[in-house]
Amino acid sequence: ASEGRGRGLRFLRHVERTECLCYVVDSSGFPEYDLEVIFREIEGYEGGGLLDRGAIVVCNKMDLCGEEEEREEIMEKMGRKANELGLYGEVVGCSALEGEGEVFG
C-alpha cells in the first residue's frame, strides 16, 4: 500500500484524517515482527508523514499467551520494540474474545 498500489492504499488515505494511530497486533503469533511490518508500511506512505501522530500499540489475543508471566514478557518486549521504532505511546494488552484488558476498561 505504501508503494501506491493494493487495497491498503485506500485505508492509508483514510488514516490521513486521524490524530492517533492504533497499531493492533496478534500477541499469539509474532507481534514484534507484525508491528514492524505495519510501521514500515506507514513509514513508507507519503514520506512517513503519518508518523507524527500519536500512537498506541494494542496487543490482542493475550488470552492465548499462557500464564501471567509470559504475558508480562510479551508486553515488555512489545514496549521495547515500540520504543525502537519511535512509537512512544502506550502499549496495552487485551483479549477481544474475553472482553478483557485496558482497551475495554
Side-chain angles (χ1 to χ4, degrees), residues 68-78 80:
E68 185 66 29
E69 185 176 301
E70 187 176 349
R71 294 176 188 190
E72 289 175 9
E73 184 178 322
I74 290 169
M75 295 299 294
E76 288 175 15
K77 285 181 181 179
M78 291 305 294
R80 286 192 299 272

Side-chain angles (χ1 to χ4, degrees), residues 27-42:
S27 298
S28 67
F30 302 97
E32 293 170 273
Y33 172 79
D34 293 344
L35 179 61
E36 183 152 358
V37 168
I38 296 167
F39 176 84
R40 297 295 173 213
E41 277 292 315
I42 291 170

